[in-house]
Amino acid sequence: MVTRSTTSTDSRHRQIVSIIVPVYNAQKYLRYCLDSIVGQTYRHLQIILVDDGSTDASGSICDEYARTDSRIEVLHRRNGGIAAAQNTGLDAVAGEYIAFCDNDDIMHARNIERLLNALIATQADMAKGRWRQIGVSALSDTKALRDANEAPGELSVIADPLNAYESVFCKSLRILGGKRVEARYFNEANWCRLYRRTIWDGLRFTEGHFAQDIRMAGPLYSRMDSVVDVNEVLYYWLQEPQSVTHSQRTSQFWRDNLYAAAENFMFARNHGVTPYRNYFGLTSSLRDEKNGLGKRPGLTAEEGRMLRKDTGMVHALLRTLKPYQRGLCFLLTLLRRTENLIYDKKIHHME
């Protein structure tokens, strides 16, 4: 059940960009995030805050902001996870364009302005900007982050987004390839993106999973004819070493990532695209699942059965690749795992 609180509905016809913010127990950082959204230079917004059954003051903070800004609509719902919150937001969209923001991240003040200008200028299906990782200490000067005075970034139009998503995912190769290759980099994140609303028609996140964004990547990118990249930092991604993404990982977390990668792997294969990224996702998630279970005092019969099933599934999927594809996928996976060792060390020391 969803309840709404908003101060105005009569201005909806002027709202062009709908920003969806799933909110859950984020009182520590939520105000930083919301200030960056209401302070956007592009003013015609529908700001949808989905309070996913928060047990702290997050819901009250959302209501407080709605009372002072008529563009804000707060949807209070029972806790159902981020996918359910995102779907609730998508169902409430009234704008022609859609953006997402995580409840502890910061949007550059010109995020929507620059992405919308790029989308209109190129007639692409999605615009994406660059982002920067920040530690908690950086939040003390969020105004400087939001208002950083950068010239409009160079635009690059990318055709065949699904192929770009699967093939460009190693940081070192992106650096060596320069601006052209970096522009082709996609990940599963929905933030720092601006979509045409029609791209989401009939699409919703699979609820009840950690890896809802991975499952959405293939179906979403396959609908797009082109994407425009804006070479400009427009989003600040807060890094917390104790978050689920970085440290609170369980065998259930890795198994969910494994099956999400399997779905995308098969999706790419069915669309004639070599699933380089999802080869990495499959093999790495299986390895993490094995390592996670191996650290436990004892493996139950059910856990052993599931692990054998998962191993068999991965091997069956990999056999669908031609030898040269498997070889290249393997090499890229080794490179990405090396990069991840450096990345994880950096994140765990970010303050």
Side-chain angles (χ1 to χ4, degrees):
M1 182 177 181
V2 177
T3 59
R4 301 168 182 259
S5 63
T6 179
T7 58
S8 174
T9 56
D10 59 2
S11 64
R12 177 168 293 185
H13 66 281
R14 298 199 312 269
Q15 296 167 337
I16 298 175
V17 177
S18 298
I19 304 178
I20 300 170
V21 187
V23 178
Y24 180 71
N25 287 359
Q27 64 178 18
K28 194 173 180 181
Y29 307 118
L30 183 57
R31 292 181 187 277
Y32 298 111
C33 172
L34 298 184
D35 286 344
S36 76
I37 296 175
V38 299
Q40 288 294 299
T41 56
Y42 188 82
R43 303 298 297 169
H44 298 299
L45 305 174
Q46 176 197 20
I47 304 170
I48 306 171
L49 308 181
V50 185
D51 171 29
D52 189 37
S54 297
T55 57
D56 66 359
S58 295
S60 298
I61 293 172
C62 290
D63 290 338
E64 172 192 329
Y65 274 75
R67 286 193 293 270
T68 60
D69 193 321
S70 62
R71 301 171 301 170
I72 295 177
E73 181 176 0
V74 184
L75 309 180
H76 297 280
R77 53 162 293 134
R78 293 180 181 177
N79 179 253
I82 187 170
Q86 287 172 315
N87 288 341
T88 296
L90 284 168
D91 291 340
V93 161
E96 299 173 44
Y97 305 93
I98 297 174
F100 292 87
C101 184
D102 281 0
N103 61 192
D104 52 0
D105 293 341
I106 307 297
M107 295 177 70
H108 188 282
R110 296 189 181 277
N111 180 295
I112 299 299
E113 175 191 334
R114 295 282 167 80
L115 293 180
L116 182 59
N117 286 343
L119 204 59
I120 292 173
T122 62
Q123 293 299 300
D125 298 302
M126 182 186 86
K128 66 185 183 74
R130 307 296 172 83
W131 59 89
R132 182 176 298 155
Q133 296 158 332
I134 61 170
V136 173
S137 61
L139 292 175
S140 60
D141 196 12
T142 54
K143 190 176 188 302
L145 294 177
R146 298 197 313 261
D147 300 338
N149 187 18
E150 297 186 25
E154 180 182 354
L155 304 185
S156 301
V157 178
I158 301 101
D160 195 4
L162 179 60
N163 185 57
Y165 162 73
E166 287 288 355
S167 59
V168 182
F169 66 100
C170 293
K171 181 64 176 178
S172 53
L173 296 182
R174 287 154 48 198
I175 293 173
L176 291 172
K179 292 181 180 180
R180 185 173 180 180
V181 174
E182 181 65 27
R184 288 178 55 80
Y185 171 68
F186 290 74
N187 63 8
E188 297 87 7
N190 301 115
W191 38 255
C192 206
R193 310 279 195 261
L194 187 63
Y195 307 90
R196 293 188 183 278
R197 187 196 65 229
T198 52
I199 289 295
W200 287 92
D201 287 351
L203 280 185
R204 291 297 183 267
F205 292 96
T206 304
E207 299 183 11
H209 295 278
F210 292 107
Q212 86 289 344
D213 49 359
I214 297 177
R215 286 180 167 84
M216 180 59 73
L220 192 61
Y221 292 142
S222 67
R223 286 188 167 200
M224 300 178 187
D225 293 323
S226 65
V227 168
V228 58
D229 173 79
V230 182
N231 185 14
E232 183 179 354
V233 175
L234 295 172
Y235 193 92
Y236 299 94
W237 179 18
L238 182 67
Q239 304 297 305
E240 286 190 279
Q242 296 307 310
S243 70
V244 171
T245 305
H246 295 307
S247 67
Q248 304 300 310
R249 296 170 175 177
T250 64
S251 58
Q252 182 184 0
F253 175 88
W254 288 118
R255 197 158 192 256
D256 191 65
N257 276 271
L258 175 69
Y259 276 79
E263 288 183 22
N264 252 2
F265 185 102
M266 292 184 289
F267 188 93
R269 295 287 287 142
N270 290 337
H271 283 73
V273 174
T274 303
Y276 299 107
R277 179 189 291 266
N278 291 126
Y279 178 102
F280 164 76
L282 273 176
T283 56
S284 298
S285 294
L286 181 62
R287 185 185 66 169
D288 290 326
E289 182 185 354
K290 289 179 177 178
N291 290 342
L293 291 174
K295 292 178 181 178
R296 298 180 59 176
L299 192 68
T300 67
E302 178 62 18
E303 287 172 337
R305 185 192 67 78
M306 289 193 306
L307 190 55
R308 289 191 296 273
K309 176 185 175 184
D310 293 348
T311 302
M313 176 192 69
V314 171
H315 289 169
L317 288 173
L318 299 188
R319 284 195 295 269
T320 67
L321 296 172
K322 295 178 180 179
Y324 79 90
Q325 291 175 316
R326 292 187 67 172
L328 187 52
C329 285
F330 177 75
L331 290 175
L332 289 174
T333 290
L334 286 181
L335 179 59
R336 177 61 184 268
R337 285 177 180 170
T338 301
E339 293 174 348
N340 278 359
L341 292 175
I342 300 171
Y343 170 82
D344 287 343
K345 184 176 181 180
K346 173 185 175 183
I347 293 305
H348 284 289
H349 287 85
M350 186 172 282
E351 299 178 351

